[in-house]
Amino acid sequence: QVQLVESGGGLVEPGGSLRLSCAASGFTFSNYAMRWYRQAPGQERGLVATISNTGIYTNYADSVKGRFTISRDNAKNTVYLQMNSLKPEDTAVYYCNRVPNELVWGQGTQVTVSS
């Protein structure tokens, strides 16, 4: 079964850190670049970070550069998002997906940054 399962979200205070995970199954993970997206209430889903299939190349939205790090472990079919120095405006549901040939979206993982 082809699927993506996000985890690792939670409630954190401003300035805190979280590490998100996305476990992939049902396809050859190492053949695809992967992306993290987020969707805040009342807003459209937006791109956060991209990593190439080998993990060599990464790219970030300006709003998270220097604070977030995307990485992957092809042996575990998992992509990660390390989020540091979190801000209230990072509050959103976070999703992962592959590139190209996007899959049906998973359930996402909620990240709430609040004191």
Side-chain angles (χ1 to χ4, degrees), residues 63-79:
S63 58
V64 306
K65 274 181 185 176
R67 300 188 298 122
F68 290 12
T69 302
I70 188 171
S71 63
R72 66 191 294 159
D73 185 337
N74 284 348
K76 295 182 178 180
N77 289 352
T78 301
V79 60

Side-chain angles (χ1 to χ4, degrees), residues 89-110:
E89 50 264 42
D90 295 318
T91 295
V93 179
Y94 284 70
Y95 302 87
C96 64
N97 217 317
R98 72 181 191 186
V99 181
N101 300 328
E102 200 171 77
L103 297 173
V104 173
W105 295 96
Q107 83 288 351
T109 186
Q110 175 71 50

Side-chain angles (χ1 to χ4, degrees), residues 44-67:
E44 293 189 355
R45 187 177 288 133
L47 179 61
V48 174
T50 303
I51 187 165
S52 63
N53 64 316
T54 60
I56 293 176
Y57 302 105
T58 59
N59 197 24
Y60 299 91
D62 287 344
S63 58
V64 306
K65 274 181 185 176
R67 300 188 298 122

